[in-house]
Amino acid sequence: MNDMITICRNTYTRVLRTRSLYVLLAAVLILVAVAHLYNDLTAGRQKELMYDAGAALLTIVGLFTALVVTFDIARDLREKVVMTLLSKPLGRGHYLLGKFFGVVWLVTVNMVILTAGILWILHWEQGAWRLDFVKLAFATWGAMIMVTALGVMFASFLSELPAAVLTMVVFVAGHATEAFYRAGSLPGHFLFSVLPGFWLPDYKLEFGNGVPISSHIIILSVLYTLAYSGVLLSLAGIFFHKRDLA
Amino acid sequence: MNSKTPTTAVVFLVITLLASAFLANRVAELRKDQTVRAPQSRGILSAGFSKFRSQIAWMRLIQLRGSMPNVTKENAALLSSKYDRLTDLDPMFATAYEEGALDIGWQDPEGSLRLLDKAGSVSQLRSWRIPFTAGFLAKTRLNNTSRAVKYMEIAVKQPDSPQYVQRFLINLKADLLAKEKDPVKILNLWVDYYLGGEGRAGAPGAPGMGRMGASFAGHAGEDSGKKLALNHISRLSADIIAQDQKNLLTERDSDAKKRFQDRIDEVQKIVKQVYAGTHICQRCYRPYNSGDEFCVHDGNRVEPYGICPKDKTVVRGAYCHKCGTKAN
């Protein structure tokens, strides 16, 4: 357990040393804030633009942060760091979990900073706290945990670029599994149940339009992402166990 | 390397897969009614960025529209597809529906109504402006009154719909009823509107005034819409009664005469209900003020009221302010 925490902490601190991360966070907050100036371009819809831009950029930052895991694992494999680590009494599963939790930690910190910043900007623009944005951010956080787990799974048997690309492809395609659910057929229902449903924790359209979504649904959505992350991590463990690291 | 790991992973995989399948179905079930979507929209693979993309599309559309000196038939087709695409991205983009419909409404009224019908199919979108715009376009561009009535009936049911939407609907219904040549039905439309949809019997009124009197007294000077309704009621009543009185003089058939007389009685009853407790001119059916000897609207001689029987002063209340005598 301690080994896993060490890997987790190392992953977190190593990525945190990247300066581009801070630039990214600052750039996002500036982008959301300048949407305030888009009054003429949006024909008076700059408030909506700020909210939607905030929600979209929160997802993008979460995605980029989550994708770090694919590069991090691949780099460990390339630089043979994994061999050193696994030569100690450390299970492959623990290594993957350590990496996963390290990136989740980073995703969480980034999203908390961004959510607080965007909330403040929205309050500055609109004169009221848009607390529904917290619900939205929480659901997005759940989706990003799933993306991280997806990244871990692909990185467990692929090199960094294919793993990152596939993670993105599955993230995009995962928003379309609603079609399987709506199809109503048995095969469709099966596919919907086993494939990653990234549309389930996605409430940007609803919150952006002021449709009230109960906290109960948001919590269930996040629980789904946690459960599905478990599926992906289990698969990652199986694939990584079978992988020849020599 | 721990050789048991795959077994643990497989067990964990099965458990989490079952849990996630259960949760996915539960969330999907709960989201069914809350997910925003236009039923006939094309599927767009936007990875959850459709709302943000709709804002970008909106800004681009504004630029495009600004570059067009006017909307031609060709432009209208292009704009129609752009608005359609935009509202696929965000089916709740009310401004896009309204602006789009008005933009292309002149060149392509059916296209603009299609766009507004699309908005109407989004259950979460509750805006009176959309069906109102549709009704307005159906009437003014297609001259299809019955279609316009359907849209306006939806508009009046929406929250926050202003009074003029209901008046527009009554005017449209009056247009339809005009073909039936039954002005009493039109009169009843205005009376129903004036009485605020409460019906004309059974509802309690202010003590001593009667419900209709309370209704009249309550709104006076406040609601221009209701004043307008009263004008319609007075004008229609005066027209109907004048016409039927003329018919009574010329008509020989006793059955027809009875019908005219019945209609006069019915209209007078309606007018008495609406203006209960108020003195009205018996020719134009509009109220007049205390002390008036002639109607200010049509010059007809009226029965003066509110005059002190002792010193003939026009009193301000129930009693004369000069001598204290009860006014007649």
Coordinates of all heavy atoms in Angstrom, one line a residue, chain A residues 38 41-43 45 48-49 52-53 56 59 92 172 175-176 178 181-182 189 192-193 199-200 202-206 208-209 211-212 217 220-221 223-224 227-228 230-231 234 238 241, chain B residues 1-2 6 9-10 12-13 16-17 20-21 23-32 34-37 45 47-52 55 58-59 62-63 89-93 95:
Chain A
Y38 N -17.3 39.8 -25.3 CA -18.0 39.3 -26.6 C -19.4 39.7 -26.7 O -20.2 39.0 -27.4 CB -17.8 37.8 -26.7 CG -16.5 37.3 -27.2 CD1 -15.3 37.9 -26.7 CD2 -16.4 36.2 -28.0 CE1 -14.1 37.4 -27.1 CE2 -15.1 35.8 -28.4 CZ -14.0 36.4 -28.0 OH -12.8 35.9 -28.4
L41 N -20.3 40.4 -30.5 CA -20.1 39.2 -31.3 C -21.2 38.2 -31.0 O -21.5 37.4 -31.9 CB -18.7 38.6 -31.1 CG -17.6 39.2 -31.8 CD1 -16.3 38.6 -31.4 CD2 -17.7 39.0 -33.3
T42 N -21.7 38.1 -29.8 CA -22.7 37.1 -29.5 C -24.1 37.7 -29.5 O -25.0 37.0 -29.1 CB -22.4 36.5 -28.1 OG1 -22.4 37.6 -27.1 CG2 -21.1 35.8 -28.0
A43 N -24.2 38.9 -29.8 CA -25.5 39.6 -29.8 C -26.1 39.5 -28.4 O -27.3 39.1 -28.2 CB -26.5 39.0 -30.8
R45 N -25.2 37.6 -25.8 CA -25.2 36.3 -25.1 C -23.9 36.0 -24.5 O -23.5 34.8 -24.3 CB -25.6 35.2 -26.1 CG -27.0 35.3 -26.6 CD -27.3 34.1 -27.6 NE -27.0 32.8 -27.0 CZ -27.9 32.1 -26.3 NH1 -29.1 32.6 -26.1 NH2 -27.6 30.9 -25.9
E48 N -23.9 33.6 -21.4 CA -24.1 32.2 -21.7 C -22.8 31.6 -22.3 O -22.4 30.5 -22.0 CB -25.2 32.0 -22.8 CG -26.6 32.1 -22.3 CD -27.1 33.6 -22.3 OE1 -26.3 34.5 -22.4 OE2 -28.3 33.8 -22.2
L49 N -22.1 32.5 -23.1 CA -20.8 32.1 -23.7 C -19.8 31.8 -22.6 O -19.1 30.8 -22.6 CB -20.3 33.2 -24.6 CG -18.9 32.9 -25.2 CD1 -19.0 31.7 -26.2 CD2 -18.4 34.1 -26.0
D52 N -20.6 28.5 -20.9 CA -20.4 27.3 -21.8 C -18.9 27.1 -22.1 O -18.4 26.0 -22.1 CB -21.1 27.5 -23.1 CG -22.6 27.5 -22.9 OD1 -23.1 27.0 -21.9 OD2 -23.4 28.0 -23.8
A53 N -18.2 28.3 -22.2 CA -16.7 28.2 -22.5 C -16.1 27.6 -21.2 O -15.2 26.8 -21.3 CB -16.2 29.6 -22.8
A56 N -16.7 23.9 -21.2 CA -15.9 23.2 -22.2 C -14.4 23.2 -21.9 O -13.8 22.1 -22.0 CB -16.2 23.9 -23.6
T59 N -13.5 20.7 -19.2 CA -13.4 19.4 -19.8 C -12.1 19.2 -20.5 O -11.4 18.1 -20.4 CB -14.6 19.1 -20.7 OG1 -15.8 19.4 -20.1 CG2 -14.6 17.7 -21.2
R92 N 2.4 -5.5 -10.2 CA 2.1 -4.7 -11.4 C 0.8 -3.9 -11.2 O 0.7 -2.8 -11.6 CB 2.0 -5.6 -12.6 CG 3.3 -6.2 -13.0 CD 3.2 -7.0 -14.3 NE 4.5 -7.6 -14.6 CZ 4.8 -7.9 -15.9 NH1 3.9 -7.8 -16.8 NH2 6.0 -8.4 -16.1
V172 N -14.6 10.4 -27.3 CA -15.5 11.0 -28.3 C -16.6 10.0 -28.6 O -17.8 10.3 -28.5 CB -14.8 11.4 -29.6 CG1 -15.8 11.9 -30.6 CG2 -13.8 12.5 -29.3
H175 N -19.6 9.2 -26.2 CA -20.7 10.1 -26.1 C -21.9 9.7 -27.0 O -22.9 10.3 -26.9 CB -20.3 11.6 -26.5 CG -19.6 12.3 -25.3 ND1 -18.2 12.1 -25.1 CD2 -20.0 13.1 -24.4 CE1 -17.9 12.9 -24.1 NE2 -19.0 13.4 -23.6
A176 N -21.6 8.7 -27.9 CA -22.6 8.3 -28.8 C -23.3 7.0 -28.4 O -24.2 6.6 -29.1 CB -22.0 8.1 -30.2
E178 N -25.4 6.7 -26.3 CA -26.8 6.9 -26.0 C -27.7 6.3 -27.1 O -28.8 5.9 -26.8 CB -27.0 8.5 -25.9 CG -28.5 8.8 -25.5 CD -28.7 10.3 -25.6 OE1 -27.8 11.1 -26.0 OE2 -29.8 10.7 -25.2
Y181 N -28.7 2.9 -26.3 CA -29.8 2.9 -25.3 C -31.1 3.3 -25.9 O -32.1 2.6 -25.6 CB -29.4 3.9 -24.2 CG -30.5 4.0 -23.1 CD1 -30.6 3.0 -22.1 CD2 -31.3 5.1 -23.0 CE1 -31.5 3.0 -21.1 CE2 -32.3 5.1 -22.0 CZ -32.4 4.1 -21.1 OH -33.4 4.1 -20.1
R182 N -31.1 4.3 -26.7 CA -32.4 4.7 -27.3 C -32.9 3.7 -28.3 O -34.1 3.7 -28.6 CB -32.2 6.1 -28.0 CG -31.8 7.1 -27.1 CD -32.7 8.3 -27.1 NE -32.2 9.3 -26.0 CZ -33.0 9.9 -25.2 NH1 -34.3 9.6 -25.2 NH2 -32.6 10.7 -24.3
H189 N -28.9 -2.7 -26.0 CA -28.9 -2.5 -24.6 C -27.6 -3.1 -24.0 O -27.0 -2.6 -23.1 CB -30.1 -3.2 -24.0 CG -30.6 -2.5 -22.7 ND1 -31.3 -1.3 -22.7 CD2 -30.3 -2.9 -21.4 CE1 -31.5 -1.0 -21.4 NE2 -30.9 -1.9 -20.6
F192 N -24.7 -0.8 -24.8 CA -24.8 0.4 -24.0 C -24.3 0.1 -22.5 O -23.6 0.9 -21.9 CB -26.3 0.9 -23.9 CG -26.6 1.7 -22.7 CD1 -26.1 3.0 -22.6 CD2 -27.3 1.2 -21.6 CE1 -26.4 3.8 -21.5 CE2 -27.6 2.0 -20.5 CZ -27.1 3.3 -20.5
S193 N -24.6 -1.2 -22.1 CA -24.2 -1.5 -20.7 C -22.7 -1.8 -20.5 O -22.2 -1.6 -19.5 CB -25.0 -2.7 -20.2 OG -26.4 -2.5 -20.3
W199 N -21.5 10.0 -22.2 CA -22.6 11.0 -22.2 C -23.3 11.0 -20.8 O -24.0 11.9 -20.5 CB -23.6 10.6 -23.3 CG -24.3 9.3 -23.2 CD1 -23.8 8.1 -23.5 CD2 -25.6 9.1 -22.6 NE1 -24.8 7.1 -23.2 CE2 -25.9 7.7 -22.7 CE3 -26.6 9.9 -22.1 CZ2 -27.1 7.2 -22.2 CZ3 -27.8 9.4 -21.7 CH2 -28.0 8.0 -21.7
L200 N -23.2 9.9 -20.1 CA -23.9 9.8 -18.8 C -23.5 10.9 -17.8 O -24.4 11.4 -17.1 CB -23.8 8.4 -18.2 CG -24.6 7.3 -19.0 CD1 -24.1 5.9 -18.5 CD2 -26.1 7.5 -18.8
D202 N -22.3 13.7 -18.6 CA -22.1 15.0 -19.4 C -23.4 15.8 -19.3 O -24.4 15.4 -19.8 CB -21.8 14.7 -20.8 CG -21.7 15.9 -21.6 OD1 -21.4 17.0 -21.0 OD2 -21.9 15.9 -22.9
Y203 N -23.4 16.9 -18.5 CA -24.6 17.7 -18.3 C -24.4 19.2 -18.8 O -25.1 20.1 -18.4 CB -24.9 17.7 -16.8 CG -25.3 16.4 -16.3 CD1 -24.4 15.5 -15.8 CD2 -26.6 15.9 -16.4 CE1 -24.8 14.3 -15.3 CE2 -27.0 14.7 -16.0 CZ -26.1 13.8 -15.4 OH -26.4 12.6 -15.0
K204 N -23.4 19.3 -19.7 CA -23.1 20.7 -20.1 C -24.3 21.4 -20.8 O -24.6 22.5 -20.6 CB -21.9 20.7 -21.0 CG -20.6 20.5 -20.3 CD -19.4 20.7 -21.1 CE -19.0 19.5 -22.0 NZ -18.6 18.3 -21.3
L205 N -25.0 20.6 -21.7 CA -26.1 21.1 -22.4 C -27.3 21.5 -21.4 O -27.9 22.5 -21.6 CB -26.6 20.1 -23.4 CG -27.5 20.5 -24.5 CD1 -27.0 21.7 -25.3 CD2 -27.8 19.4 -25.5
E206 N -27.5 20.6 -20.5 CA -28.6 20.9 -19.5 C -28.3 22.1 -18.6 O -29.1 23.0 -18.5 CB -28.8 19.6 -18.7 CG -29.5 18.5 -19.4 CD -28.6 17.7 -20.3 OE1 -27.4 17.9 -20.3 OE2 -29.1 16.9 -21.1
G208 N -26.1 24.4 -19.0 CA -25.9 25.6 -19.8 C -27.2 26.2 -20.2 O -27.3 27.5 -20.4
N209 N -28.3 25.4 -20.3 CA -29.6 26.0 -20.6 C -30.5 26.1 -19.4 O -31.7 26.4 -19.5 CB -30.3 25.0 -21.6 CG -29.8 25.2 -23.0 OD1 -29.8 26.3 -23.5 ND2 -29.3 24.1 -23.6
V211 N -31.5 23.9 -17.2 CA -32.4 22.8 -16.9 C -31.9 22.2 -15.5 O -30.8 21.8 -15.4 CB -32.3 21.7 -18.0 CG1 -33.2 20.5 -17.5 CG2 -32.8 22.2 -19.3
P212 N -32.8 22.2 -14.5 CA -32.4 21.7 -13.2 C -32.2 20.2 -13.2 O -33.0 19.4 -13.7 CB -33.6 22.1 -12.3 CG -34.7 22.2 -13.2 CD -34.3 22.6 -14.6
I217 N -29.1 12.5 -9.3 CA -28.6 12.0 -10.6 C -27.1 12.2 -10.8 O -26.4 11.3 -11.4 CB -29.4 12.7 -11.8 CG1 -30.9 12.3 -11.6 CG2 -29.0 12.2 -13.1 CD1 -31.8 13.0 -12.6
L220 N -25.2 9.6 -8.8 CA -25.3 8.3 -9.5 C -24.4 8.3 -10.7 O -23.8 7.3 -11.0 CB -26.7 8.0 -9.9 CG -27.7 7.5 -8.8 CD1 -29.1 7.2 -9.3 CD2 -27.1 6.2 -8.2
S221 N -24.4 9.4 -11.5 CA -23.5 9.5 -12.6 C -22.0 9.3 -12.3 O -21.3 8.6 -12.9 CB -23.7 10.8 -13.4 OG -25.0 11.0 -13.7
L223 N -20.9 7.9 -9.6 CA -20.7 6.5 -9.1 C -20.5 5.6 -10.3 O -19.7 4.6 -10.3 CB -21.9 6.0 -8.3 CG -22.0 6.6 -6.8 CD1 -23.3 6.1 -6.2 CD2 -20.8 6.1 -6.0
Y224 N -21.3 5.9 -11.4 CA -21.1 5.0 -12.6 C -19.7 5.2 -13.1 O -19.1 4.2 -13.5 CB -22.1 5.5 -13.7 CG -21.7 5.0 -15.0 CD1 -21.9 3.7 -15.4 CD2 -21.2 5.9 -16.0 CE1 -21.5 3.2 -16.6 CE2 -20.8 5.5 -17.2 CZ -20.9 4.1 -17.6 OH -20.5 3.7 -18.8
A227 N -17.4 3.2 -11.0 CA -17.6 1.7 -11.2 C -16.9 1.3 -12.6 O -16.2 0.3 -12.7 CB -19.0 1.3 -11.2
Y228 N -17.2 2.2 -13.6 CA -16.6 1.8 -14.9 C -15.1 2.0 -14.9 O -14.4 1.2 -15.6 CB -17.2 2.6 -16.0 CG -17.1 2.0 -17.4 CD1 -18.0 1.0 -17.8 CD2 -16.0 2.2 -18.2 CE1 -17.9 0.3 -18.9 CE2 -15.8 1.5 -19.4 CZ -16.8 0.6 -19.8 OH -16.6 -0.1 -20.9
G230 N -13.3 1.1 -12.5 CA -12.9 -0.2 -11.9 C -12.8 -1.2 -13.0 O -11.8 -2.0 -13.1
V231 N -13.8 -1.2 -14.0 CA -13.7 -2.2 -15.1 C -12.4 -2.0 -15.9 O -11.7 -2.9 -16.2 CB -15.0 -2.0 -16.0 CG1 -14.9 -2.8 -17.3 CG2 -16.2 -2.3 -15.3
S234 N -9.3 -3.0 -14.1 CA -9.2 -4.4 -14.0 C -8.6 -5.0 -15.3 O -7.7 -5.8 -15.3 CB -10.6 -5.1 -13.8 OG -11.2 -4.5 -12.7
I238 N -5.1 -6.9 -16.1 CA -5.0 -8.2 -16.8 C -3.9 -8.0 -18.0 O -3.0 -8.8 -18.1 CB -6.3 -8.6 -17.3 CG1 -7.2 -9.0 -16.1 CG2 -6.2 -9.8 -18.3 CD1 -8.7 -9.1 -16.4
H241 N -0.4 -7.5 -16.7 CA 0.1 -8.8 -16.2 C 0.7 -9.7 -17.3 O 1.7 -10.4 -17.1 CB -1.0 -9.5 -15.4 CG -0.5 -10.8 -14.8 ND1 0.2 -10.8 -13.6 CD2 -0.7 -12.1 -15.1 CE1 0.5 -12.0 -13.3 NE2 -0.1 -12.8 -14.2
Chain B
M1 N 6.6 -11.0 -9.1 CA 5.3 -10.7 -9.6 C 4.2 -11.6 -9.0 O 4.4 -12.8 -8.8 CB 5.3 -10.9 -11.1 CG 4.1 -10.3 -11.8 SD 4.3 -10.3 -13.6 CE 4.3 -12.0 -13.9
N2 N 3.1 -10.9 -8.6 CA 2.1 -11.6 -7.9 C 1.2 -12.4 -8.9 O 0.6 -11.9 -9.8 CB 1.2 -10.6 -7.2 CG 0.2 -11.3 -6.3 OD1 0.1 -12.5 -6.3 ND2 -0.5 -10.5 -5.5
P6 N -4.1 -11.6 -11.8 CA -5.2 -11.8 -12.8 C -6.5 -12.3 -12.3 O -7.5 -11.8 -12.6 CB -4.6 -12.8 -13.8 CG -3.1 -12.7 -13.6 CD -3.0 -12.4 -12.1
A9 N -8.1 -9.5 -10.5 CA -8.5 -8.5 -11.5 C -9.8 -9.0 -12.2 O -10.7 -8.2 -12.5 CB -7.4 -8.3 -12.5
V10 N -9.8 -10.3 -12.5 CA -11.0 -10.8 -13.2 C -12.3 -10.7 -12.3 O -13.3 -10.3 -12.8 CB -10.8 -12.3 -13.6 CG1 -12.1 -12.9 -14.1 CG2 -9.7 -12.3 -14.8
F12 N -12.7 -8.6 -9.8 CA -13.0 -7.2 -9.7 C -13.7 -6.7 -11.0 O -14.6 -5.9 -11.0 CB -11.7 -6.4 -9.5 CG -11.9 -5.0 -9.0 CD1 -12.5 -4.7 -7.8 CD2 -11.5 -4.0 -9.8 CE1 -12.7 -3.4 -7.4 CE2 -11.7 -2.6 -9.4 CZ -12.3 -2.4 -8.2
L13 N -13.2 -7.2 -12.1 CA -13.8 -6.8 -13.4 C -15.3 -7.2 -13.5 O -16.1 -6.4 -13.9 CB -13.0 -7.5 -14.6 CG -13.6 -7.4 -16.0 CD1 -13.4 -6.0 -16.5 CD2 -12.9 -8.4 -16.9
T16 N -17.3 -4.9 -11.0 CA -17.5 -3.6 -11.4 C -18.3 -3.4 -12.7 O -19.0 -2.5 -12.9 CB -16.1 -2.9 -11.6 OG1 -15.3 -3.7 -12.4 CG2 -15.4 -2.6 -10.3
L17 N -18.1 -4.5 -13.5 CA -18.9 -4.4 -14.8 C -20.4 -4.5 -14.5 O -21.2 -3.8 -15.1 CB -18.5 -5.6 -15.7 CG -19.0 -5.5 -17.2 CD1 -18.5 -4.3 -17.9 CD2 -18.6 -6.7 -17.9
S20 N -21.4 -1.2 -12.9 CA -21.5 -0.1 -13.9 C -22.7 -0.3 -14.8 O -23.3 0.7 -15.2 CB -20.2 0.0 -14.6 OG -20.0 -1.1 -15.5
A21 N -23.0 -1.5 -15.2 CA -24.1 -1.8 -16.1 C -25.4 -1.3 -15.4 O -26.3 -0.7 -15.9 CB -24.2 -3.2 -16.5
L23 N -25.7 0.8 -12.8 CA -25.7 2.3 -12.7 C -26.0 3.0 -14.0 O -26.7 4.0 -14.0 CB -24.4 2.8 -12.1 CG -24.2 2.5 -10.6 CD1 -22.8 2.6 -10.1 CD2 -25.1 3.4 -9.8
A24 N -25.4 2.5 -15.1 CA -25.6 3.1 -16.4 C -27.1 3.1 -16.7 O -27.7 4.1 -17.2 CB -24.8 2.4 -17.5
N25 N -27.7 2.0 -16.5 CA -29.2 1.9 -16.8 C -30.0 2.8 -15.9 O -31.0 3.4 -16.4 CB -29.6 0.4 -16.7 CG -29.2 -0.4 -17.9 OD1 -29.8 -0.2 -19.0 ND2 -28.2 -1.1 -17.8
R26 N -29.6 2.8 -14.7 CA -30.3 3.7 -13.7 C -30.2 5.2 -14.1 O -31.2 5.9 -14.1 CB -29.7 3.4 -12.3 CG -30.4 4.1 -11.2 CD -31.6 3.3 -10.6 NE -32.3 4.0 -9.6 CZ -33.5 4.6 -9.9 NH1 -34.0 4.5 -11.1 NH2 -34.1 5.3 -9.0
V27 N -29.0 5.6 -14.4 CA -28.8 7.0 -14.8 C -29.5 7.3 -16.1 O -30.2 8.4 -16.2 CB -27.3 7.3 -14.9 CG1 -27.0 8.8 -15.4 CG2 -26.6 7.2 -13.5
A28 N -29.4 6.4 -17.0 CA -30.0 6.6 -18.3 C -31.6 6.8 -18.2 O -32.2 7.6 -18.8 CB -29.7 5.5 -19.3
E29 N -32.1 5.9 -17.3 CA -33.5 6.0 -17.0 C -33.9 7.3 -16.4 O -34.9 7.9 -16.8 CB -33.9 4.8 -16.1 CG -35.4 4.5 -15.9 CD -36.0 4.1 -17.2 OE1 -35.4 3.5 -18.1 OE2 -37.2 4.4 -17.4
L30 N -33.1 7.7 -15.4 CA -33.4 9.0 -14.7 C -33.2 10.2 -15.7 O -33.9 11.2 -15.6 CB -32.5 9.2 -13.5 CG -32.8 8.3 -12.3 CD1 -31.7 8.3 -11.3 CD2 -34.1 8.7 -11.7
R31 N -32.3 10.1 -16.6 CA -32.0 11.2 -17.5 C -32.9 11.3 -18.7 O -33.0 12.3 -19.4 CB -30.6 11.0 -18.1 CG -29.5 11.4 -17.1 CD -28.2 11.6 -17.8 NE -28.2 12.8 -18.6 CZ -27.2 13.4 -19.2 NH1 -26.0 12.9 -19.0 NH2 -27.3 14.5 -19.9
K32 N -33.7 10.2 -18.9 CA -34.6 10.1 -20.1 C -35.4 11.4 -20.3 O -35.4 12.0 -21.4 CB -35.5 8.9 -19.9 CG -35.9 8.4 -21.3 CD -37.0 7.3 -21.1 CE -36.4 5.9 -21.1 NZ -37.5 4.9 -20.9
Q34 N -34.8 14.3 -18.7 CA -34.1 15.6 -18.5 C -33.1 15.9 -19.6 O -32.6 17.0 -19.7 CB -33.4 15.5 -17.2 CG -34.4 15.6 -16.0 CD -33.7 15.5 -14.7 OE1 -33.0 14.6 -14.4 NE2 -34.0 16.5 -13.9
T35 N -32.8 14.8 -20.4 CA -31.8 15.1 -21.5 C -32.4 16.0 -22.5 O -33.5 15.8 -23.0 CB -31.4 13.8 -22.2 OG1 -30.9 12.9 -21.2 CG2 -30.3 14.0 -23.2
V36 N -31.7 17.1 -22.9 CA -32.2 18.0 -23.8 C -31.9 17.5 -25.2 O -30.7 17.2 -25.6 CB -31.4 19.4 -23.6 CG1 -31.8 20.4 -24.7 CG2 -31.8 19.9 -22.2
R37 N -32.9 17.4 -26.0 CA -32.7 17.0 -27.4 C -33.9 17.3 -28.2 O -35.0 17.3 -27.7 CB -32.4 15.5 -27.5 CG -33.5 14.6 -27.1 CD -33.1 13.2 -26.7 NE -31.9 12.7 -27.4 CZ -31.9 12.0 -28.5 NH1 -33.1 11.8 -29.1 NH2 -30.8 11.5 -29.0
L45 N -21.7 14.0 -33.5 CA -20.7 13.5 -32.6 C -19.9 14.7 -32.1 O -18.9 15.1 -32.8 CB -19.8 12.5 -33.4 CG -19.1 11.5 -32.6 CD1 -20.0 10.7 -31.8 CD2 -18.2 10.6 -33.4
A47 N -18.8 15.1 -28.8 CA -18.1 14.7 -27.5 C -18.4 15.6 -26.4 O -17.6 16.0 -25.6 CB -16.6 14.8 -27.8
G48 N -19.7 16.0 -26.3 CA -20.1 16.8 -25.1 C -19.8 18.3 -25.3 O -20.1 19.0 -24.3
F49 N -19.4 18.7 -26.4 CA -19.1 20.1 -26.6 C -20.1 20.8 -27.5 O -19.9 21.9 -28.0 CB -17.7 20.3 -27.3 CG -16.6 19.8 -26.4 CD1 -15.9 18.6 -26.6 CD2 -16.2 20.6 -25.3 CE1 -14.9 18.2 -25.8 CE2 -15.1 20.2 -24.5 CZ -14.5 19.0 -24.7
S50 N -21.3 20.2 -27.6 CA -22.3 20.7 -28.5 C -22.8 22.1 -28.1 O -23.0 23.0 -28.9 CB -23.4 19.8 -28.7 OG -24.1 19.6 -27.4
K51 N -22.9 22.3 -26.8 CA -23.3 23.6 -26.3 C -22.3 24.7 -26.6 O -22.7 25.8 -27.1 CB -23.6 23.5 -24.7 CG -24.1 24.8 -24.1 CD -25.6 24.8 -24.3 CE -26.3 26.0 -23.6 NZ -26.0 27.3 -24.2
F52 N -21.1 24.4 -26.4 CA -20.0 25.4 -26.7 C -19.9 25.6 -28.2 O -19.8 26.8 -28.6 CB -18.7 24.9 -26.1 CG -17.6 25.9 -26.3 CD1 -17.6 27.2 -25.8 CD2 -16.4 25.5 -27.1 CE1 -16.6 28.1 -26.0 CE2 -15.4 26.4 -27.3 CZ -15.5 27.7 -26.8
Q55 N -22.5 28.0 -29.4 CA -22.1 29.4 -29.2 C -21.2 29.9 -30.4 O -21.4 31.1 -30.9 CB -21.4 29.6 -27.9 CG -22.3 29.3 -26.7 CD -23.4 30.3 -26.4 OE1 -23.6 31.2 -27.1 NE2 -24.0 30.1 -25.3
W58 N -23.2 30.3 -33.4 CA -24.1 31.5 -33.3 C -23.3 32.7 -33.7 O -23.8 33.6 -34.5 CB -24.6 31.6 -31.9 CG -25.3 32.8 -31.5 CD1 -25.0 33.8 -30.6 CD2 -26.6 33.3 -32.1 NE1 -25.9 34.8 -30.5 CE2 -26.9 34.5 -31.4 CE3 -27.5 32.8 -33.0 CZ2 -28.0 35.2 -31.7 CZ3 -28.6 33.5 -33.3 CH2 -28.9 34.7 -32.7
M59 N -22.1 32.8 -33.2 CA -21.2 34.0 -33.5 C -20.9 34.0 -35.0 O -21.0 35.1 -35.7 CB -19.9 34.0 -32.7 CG -20.2 34.3 -31.3 SD -18.7 34.7 -30.4 CE -18.2 33.0 -29.9
I62 N -24.0 35.2 -36.9 CA -24.2 36.6 -36.8 C -23.3 37.3 -37.8 O -23.8 38.3 -38.5 CB -23.9 37.1 -35.4 CG1 -25.0 36.6 -34.4 CG2 -23.8 38.6 -35.3 CD1 -24.7 36.8 -33.0
Q63 N -22.1 36.8 -38.0 CA -21.2 37.4 -39.0 C -21.7 37.2 -40.4 O -21.7 38.1 -41.2 CB -19.8 36.8 -38.8 CG -19.1 37.0 -37.5 CD -19.0 38.4 -37.0 OE1 -18.5 39.2 -37.8 NE2 -19.5 38.7 -35.8
L89 N -27.3 21.5 -32.5 CA -26.2 21.5 -31.5 C -26.8 21.8 -30.1 O -26.4 21.3 -29.1 CB -25.1 22.5 -31.9 CG -24.2 22.2 -33.0 CD1 -23.4 23.4 -33.5 CD2 -23.2 21.0 -32.6
D90 N -27.7 22.8 -30.1 CA -28.3 23.2 -28.9 C -29.8 23.3 -29.1 O -30.3 24.4 -29.5 CB -27.7 24.5 -28.3 CG -28.4 24.9 -27.0 OD1 -29.2 24.1 -26.5 OD2 -28.1 26.0 -26.5
P91 N -30.5 22.3 -28.8 CA -32.0 22.3 -29.1 C -32.8 23.3 -28.3 O -33.9 23.6 -28.5 CB -32.5 20.9 -28.8 CG -31.2 20.1 -28.8 CD -30.1 21.0 -28.3
M92 N -32.1 23.9 -27.2 CA -32.8 24.9 -26.4 C -32.4 26.3 -26.7 O -32.6 27.2 -25.9 CB -32.6 24.5 -24.9 CG -33.4 23.4 -24.5 SD -33.3 23.1 -22.7 CE -34.3 24.4 -22.1
F93 N -31.8 26.5 -27.8 CA -31.3 27.9 -28.2 C -32.5 28.7 -28.7 O -32.7 28.9 -29.9 CB -30.3 27.7 -29.3 CG -29.3 28.8 -29.3 CD1 -27.9 28.6 -29.5 CD2 -29.7 30.2 -29.2 CE1 -27.0 29.6 -29.6 CE2 -28.7 31.2 -29.2 CZ -27.4 30.9 -29.4
T95 N -33.3 31.9 -28.8 CA -33.0 33.0 -29.6 C -32.8 32.6 -31.1 O -33.2 33.3 -32.0 CB -31.8 33.8 -29.1 OG1 -31.9 33.8 -27.6 CG2 -31.6 35.2 -29.6

